[in-house]
Amino acid sequence: MTHLMQTYGRFPVAFVKGEGIHLYDADGRAYLDFTSGIAVTSLGHAHPNVTRAIAEQAATLLHTSNLYEIPLQEQVAGKLTALSGLDRAFFCNSGAEANEAAIKLARKYSTETYGSHKYEILTLHESFHGRTMATLTATPRPKFQEGYAPLMPGFRYVEKDLDAIKAALSDQTCAILVETVQGEGGVLPLGREFLQGLRALCDEKGILLLIDEVQTGIGRTGTLFAFEQAGILPDIVSLAKALGNGVPVGAILAKEHVAAAFTPGTHGSTFGGNPLAMAAANAVLDTIAEEGLLEHVQQMAAYLESRLDELVAAHDFILSQRGHGLIRGLLFDRPAGPLVSKCLEYGLLVLTAGEKTLRFLPPLTVTEADIDLMMQLLQEALAD
């Protein structure tokens, strides 16, 4: 009997140890982890730099209130703003909280700048932005929203088409919120031209562009932020997952004139940006730079793409592959869920993305040998 609420359909395995790209169960069996805890442990499990930073900080100071100065928070904020080209940072604990903060900041800025009538946010079909009431409402997916009515007002859903988005704009529209790659929707990249078109449209209409990089940020696509590759700068970007390599950290970064709408008392987070979280985030950012992981991701992404192309060519029931950097998906002509379970039997951890897409999210430290082993295990599972 369990005393846990039944919110997860769990696989029948419990991990007791992690090292690099491997997880180990109580019997010592190794599993090749191509999920990274859903894009979280991007430096792999138990990375020595992060482990050392957490241990030293835990032995010194775990938490203080944001009513006091937190020097490490200033340090991490400085690095993120310098690397992104944005001006201000706010720290929280998760991706959903980061998107909540982005939504609140967009509405507050627009209300103060244009008036209370300007509050509506457009989001795209197939997107996913979180499970709080606001982020759930921003996620136009019936399977996530069912049972939670009435949802929050102030959101409108549109297709991934610039003309459709332009037609949906009104005097009430204050922002457009998008992912650079729709991870939960099936690993669907929006593409450089589409993102550039969004930026131009937002500039033309005087509305904010919010980019959700909770899953793609902190190096997964080969640059620290995926929006860099489109040659654009959002007004607000949300981050989480890989920022703490397993320690809960969320953040938004914003342009100066937008961030100014958040004044003392207008938003906050008890745990957000505490010393432990910032020690982890600081170690993550330093490690990515010191180990040259962005260039490594670009190389490994090309290799993973070429190996997955082999599967597409070899099997009629695999329709295509898609993705960006080290977030990739294989599209099947049938549900992919049973294959995830079969892969687990062979010691390979993968995910679904939507009903028919198998999703791969290896750590940024993945090697060609790791990819080759993944292919071997996946082919064995497919043959079974």
Side-chain angles (χ1 to χ4, degrees):
M1 176 182 175
T2 179
H3 296 284
L4 296 170
M5 293 188 185
Q6 298 301 289
T7 53
Y8 304 102
R10 300 180 193 267
F11 291 99
V13 61
F15 300 114
V16 298
K17 178 185 175 182
E19 184 176 357
I21 198 170
H22 289 97
L23 285 168
Y24 299 85
D25 64 18
D27 296 324
R29 185 187 180 190
Y31 294 78
L32 188 68
D33 185 5
F34 264 62
T35 73
S36 301
I38 315 182
V40 171
T41 51
S42 286
L43 299 183
H45 300 285
H47 192 286
N49 292 358
V50 181
T51 300
R52 187 183 312 110
I54 292 171
E56 291 176 357
Q57 192 60 50
T60 306
L61 180 65
L62 280 175
H63 177 80
T64 64
S65 166
N66 276 301
L67 294 174
Y68 310 106
E69 293 184 1
I70 302 175
L72 260 177
Q73 199 176 104
E74 287 283 358
Q75 190 173 339
V76 176
K79 289 178 180 178
L80 286 172
T81 52
L83 291 165
S84 67
L86 295 163
D87 303 300
R88 299 276 181 167
F90 170 84
F91 293 104
C92 50
N93 309 289
S94 69
E97 286 182 55
N99 283 329
E100 284 269 352
I103 290 166
K104 287 181 67 176
L105 180 56
R107 285 187 172 177
K108 191 157 192 303
Y109 166 80
S110 298
T111 294
E112 293 180 353
T113 304
Y114 303 106
S116 59
H117 69 283
K118 206 169 186 66
Y119 62 88
E120 187 177 75
I121 295 174
L122 304 186
T123 64
L124 302 182
H125 290 291
E126 307 303 328
S127 63
F128 180 86
H129 298 292
R131 293 181 183 270
T132 62
M133 283 305 293
T135 57
L136 184 69
T137 307
T139 300
R141 311 279 295 281
K143 74 172 185 176
F144 295 127
Q145 294 180 344
E146 185 177 353
Y148 296 111
L151 298 175
M152 289 185 61
F155 292 90
R156 185 184 294 187
Y157 311 137
V158 291
E159 297 294 336
K160 295 185 285 287
D161 177 83
L162 289 174
D163 289 334
I165 293 170
K166 190 170 184 177
L169 296 176
S170 72
D171 290 340
Q172 295 179 321
T173 306
C174 76
I176 301 172
L177 169 62
V178 300
E179 302 159 274
T180 52
V181 179
Q182 295 180 315
E184 296 293 334
V187 193
L188 305 169
L190 294 191
R192 177 184 175 90
E193 291 184 5
F194 183 84
L195 290 169
Q196 289 178 339
L198 281 181
R199 178 70 275 177
L201 181 60
C202 289
D203 290 341
E204 176 189 344
K205 301 297 183 180
I207 59 178
L208 300 179
L209 176 59
L210 283 50
I211 292 189
D212 175 348
E213 291 232 24
V214 168
Q215 190 159 180
T216 56
I218 316 302
R220 181 148 295 278
T221 65
T223 51
L224 200 67
F225 309 95
F227 69 74
E228 296 177 64
Q229 295 175 50
I232 63 168
L233 188 65
D235 298 294
I236 307 172
V237 63
S238 51
L239 305 167
K241 289 190 180 289
L243 186 53
N245 205 58
V247 175
V249 187
I252 61 169
L253 310 175
K255 292 179 178 177
E256 181 70 43
H257 69 284
V258 178
F262 270 178
T263 54
T266 56
H267 191 55
S269 172
T270 297
F271 294 104
N274 74 10
L276 183 70
M278 293 296 93
N282 196 46
V284 167
L285 294 173
D286 285 350
T287 299
I288 288 174
E290 291 164 4
E291 297 188 1
L293 286 179
L294 297 180
E295 182 179 354
H296 178 75
V297 167
Q298 295 168 26
Q299 295 168 352
M300 291 304 100
Y303 186 68
L304 177 58
E305 183 176 4
S306 69
R307 294 304 317 269
L308 293 178
D309 278 339
E310 296 174 19
L311 287 176
V312 176
H315 299 284
D316 291 340
F317 55 85
I318 303 179
L319 304 180
S320 65
Q321 72 133 321
R322 57 203 181 195
H324 191 181
L326 288 179
I327 172 172
R328 307 214 70 85
L330 278 180
L331 177 63
F332 288 77
D333 67 358
R334 63 199 67 180
L339 181 56
V340 173
S341 298
K342 183 59 65 175
C343 285
L344 180 66
E345 295 178 19
Y346 282 86
L348 172 63
L349 306 181
V350 288
L351 301 164
T352 56
E355 183 184 7
K356 297 181 179 181
T357 303
L358 197 67
R359 180 171 29 160
F360 303 87
L361 292 162
L364 310 187
T365 53
V366 69
T367 65
E368 288 188 1
D370 296 327
I371 294 170
D372 290 341
L373 177 57
M374 179 278 294
M375 286 289 293
Q376 175 190 328
L377 297 173
L378 179 56
Q379 287 169 330
E380 290 174 358
L382 284 168
D384 195 3

